[in-house]
Amino acid sequence: MVTINENYLKLKAGYLFPEIARRVRVFTESNPDAPIIKLGIGDVTEPLPEACRTAMIKAVEDMGDRATFKGYGPEQGYAWLREKIASQDFQARGCEIDASEIFVSDGGKCDTGNILDIFGKGNTIAVTDPVYPVYVDTNVMAGHTGPVNDKGEYEGLFYLPITAENNFTAKIPDRPVDLIYLCFPNNPTGATASKADLKAWVDYARANGSVILFDAAYEAFITDPELPHSIYEIEGARECAIEFRSFSKNAGFTGTRCAYTVVPKSLKVTASDGAEVTLHQLWNRRQSTKFNGVSYLVQRGAEAVYSPEGQSQVQGLIKFYLENAQIIRQKLSDAGLTVYGGVHAPYIWVKTPQGLSSWDFFDKLLNLCYVVGTPGSGFGAAGEGYFRISAFNSRENVEEAMSRITDNFKV
Ligand code: MLT
């Protein structure tokens, strides 16, 4: 008899974003003419930078000529892309990261889930609450948790509440944990971490033999020069952290698909027989077995992000979305709502008005304003009473959505 991975049965209903899409579909079926504006999932709306498109068109031409045609590429990504990443994203910021430590992939979401392949069972896993749900759900799927309780917390996970009271920076645990997921600038709260915050985590991880899984998918939105873009800006992080990056939110690659993961060769763990093993060797083995690399065309598109034109076009996109974020912050605060984030991040974390629950506010916003956002409780129990609004949309839609919300929700 076939058996299944019963851990999947422990998962709460649907994954958050498909569940939102389902509710919007149901609403649209009975309100087909409602002019819905989506500020829910953090999906970009603006066209790909011209530099990336030009590079991809050229790459298509390469594929049409036997002399430049490419078959399977390296599973880890082409050296010309990895070298640019290492030099411009890391070495230029003083981080000692070598091209051979970069693994190009098709998404940060996939990598943050797949990374669990190289860790054993029995690790204590710490996640912030609220949190990007992928970290939690992939641990549930891998059998690292028990069942979920009424609050939506899984037995066996160590939750680190991030709230307005602690400035959305998690407190260092008072006990040893093995794997720690951190995401800064934070999804969903839009909060940032200072160098001192990250140093405290790196020091803790080194003292306890923990590994930090650092998701920096939103680093491009940082405009304060004092804030770290990478955990490797902190001394000692090469010995305790893996970092995930993405081209989705900076260069608009959500539909094009390209990201990368950094696994330093100095990040070592001890196997049960006492042997020292590098996580780099395990991840390399995993990727070369289960992954065939990102398409040549897409990697050429990603490479163009590092050209002078690409850099300035990406800056233009970031500026545009940050202006949207500023408009959202301003309009909602003027209407008397309490807002957080949205300064160095494309997400605005809003306290729901009138004491509404996150999902009640979601339903009201959809029914009264035809605006879709993301209920804070979908990111964890501590997100209840909050709501996430994404700045990824056209200016016109953001302005229209804000005027509809403020007309209905003046506090
Ligand atoms: C989000 O809305 O949280 C993100 O778009 C999800 C993702 O990047 O996978």
Side-chain angles (χ1 to χ4, degrees):
M1 194 179 88
V2 173
T3 62
I4 55 164
N5 179 351
E6 304 230 348
N7 295 312
Y8 279 66
L9 306 181
K10 293 182 204 157
L11 291 164
K12 284 178 281 174
Y15 178 57
L16 177 61
F17 295 107
E19 173 58 19
I20 290 171
R22 190 191 65 75
R23 289 187 185 219
V24 174
R25 235 176 3 255
V26 169
F27 177 80
T28 319
E29 271 159 26
S30 33
N31 302 275
D33 298 325
I36 289 185
I37 298 177
K38 294 186 179 167
L39 302 176
I41 188 164
D43 193 4
V44 295
T45 52
E46 302 309 297
L48 278 188
E50 194 190 337
C52 302
R53 284 182 277 132
T54 307
M56 285 195 273
I57 291 166
K58 157 88 174 48
V60 171
E61 294 304 331
D62 290 349
M63 295 300 255
D65 181 341
R66 187 169 281 114
T68 46
F69 172 79
K70 300 278 184 290
Y72 289 125
E75 295 89 355
Q76 302 79 359
Y78 284 100
W80 34 260
L81 175 56
R82 299 167 84 197
E83 275 154 19
K84 290 199 174 70
I85 293 171
S87 90
Q88 297 193 42
D89 286 348
F90 296 99
Q91 292 156 13
R93 299 194 65 82
C95 309
E96 237 185 274
I97 294 295
D98 186 74
S100 62
E101 298 175 315
I102 312 266
F103 292 84
V104 177
S105 77
D106 60 346
K109 169 165 137 179
C110 325
D111 283 358
T112 53
N114 291 334
I115 200 76
L116 292 177
D117 276 9
I118 65 169
F119 293 103
K121 302 242 182 274
N123 286 315
T124 322
I125 294 149
V127 291
T128 62
D129 179 7
V131 70
Y132 179 40
V134 171
Y135 315 150
V136 170
D137 287 8
T138 53
N139 274 291
V140 177
M141 291 170 176
H144 297 167
T145 74
V148 70
N149 68 16
D150 292 345
K151 279 170 73 191
E153 294 165 338
Y154 287 93
E155 188 185 294
L157 289 184
F158 187 69
Y159 289 92
L160 307 163
I162 51 173
T163 59
E165 289 67 45
N166 64 17
N167 220 1
F168 302 102
T169 20
K171 225 171 93 211
I172 301 287
D174 53 6
R175 66 189 82 168
V177 296
D178 302 309
L179 294 181
I180 305 156
Y181 288 85
L182 295 178
C183 172
F184 289 108
N186 185 251
N187 179 13
T189 65
T192 52
S194 66
K195 281 194 179 144
D197 293 329
L198 293 189
K199 181 175 181 324
W201 281 107
V202 168
D203 291 349
Y204 168 87
R206 294 197 67 198
N208 290 281
S210 335
V211 172
I212 298 173
L213 300 171
F214 189 74
D215 188 345
Y218 300 95
E219 60 75 36
F221 292 85
I222 294 174
T223 53
D224 178 347
E226 292 301 312
L227 292 173
H229 288 239
S230 165
I231 195 148
Y232 304 117
E233 290 177 48
I234 311 303
E235 204 187 320
R238 279 186 56 85
E239 278 69 48
C240 66
I242 290 176
E243 182 164 305
F244 303 94
R245 292 275 190 110
S246 171
F247 293 96
S248 286
K249 315 290 161 115
N250 59 352
F253 273 46
T254 52
T256 308
R257 311 304 311 146
C258 199
Y260 65 85
T261 289
V262 186
V263 189
K265 289 180 179 158
S266 41
L267 176 43
K268 298 177 181 146
V269 291
T270 310
S272 56
D273 65 0
E276 199 169 68
V277 177
T278 68
L279 291 182
H280 184 279
Q281 96 199 43
L282 300 189
W283 185 243
N284 189 47
R285 186 70 173 81
R286 191 262 173 217
Q287 289 298 80
S288 43
T289 304
K290 292 196 180 181
F291 187 55
N292 264 334
V294 176
S295 90
Y296 171 68
L297 318 182
V298 168
Q299 291 193 64
R300 280 294 186 202
E303 183 195 24
V305 165
Y306 297 94
S307 66
E309 310 77 60
Q311 289 285 289
S312 101
Q313 289 158 15
V314 165
Q315 278 316 312
L317 286 171
I318 299 290
K319 185 164 171 285
F320 174 78
Y321 291 126
L322 282 179
E323 282 164 5
N324 280 351
Q326 172 54 22
I327 291 169
I328 297 170
R329 280 180 57 90
Q330 192 64 49
K331 295 279 183 204
L332 297 183
S333 324
D334 289 351
L337 279 91
T338 306
V339 299
Y340 303 95
V343 178
H344 301 289
Y347 298 127
I348 294 87
W349 190 239
V350 186
K351 184 98 199 83
T352 56
Q354 301 153 8
L356 290 168
S357 76
S358 300
W359 277 109
D360 285 348
F361 188 56
F362 173 91
D363 288 333
K364 282 214 162 171
L365 220 53
L366 180 58
N367 283 278
L368 298 176
C369 312
Y370 306 145
V371 172
V372 179
T374 311
S377 56
F379 297 101
E384 181 53 271
Y386 286 93
F387 199 76
R388 193 192 76 174
I389 296 190
S390 151
F392 291 117
N393 213 312
S394 65
R395 182 62 43 82
E396 191 189 352
N397 278 349
V398 164
E399 283 174 345
E400 171 62 21
M402 288 311 110
S403 81
R404 289 187 205 163
I405 297 177
T406 51
D407 283 352
N408 282 280
F409 289 97
K410 269 217 161 41
V411 181

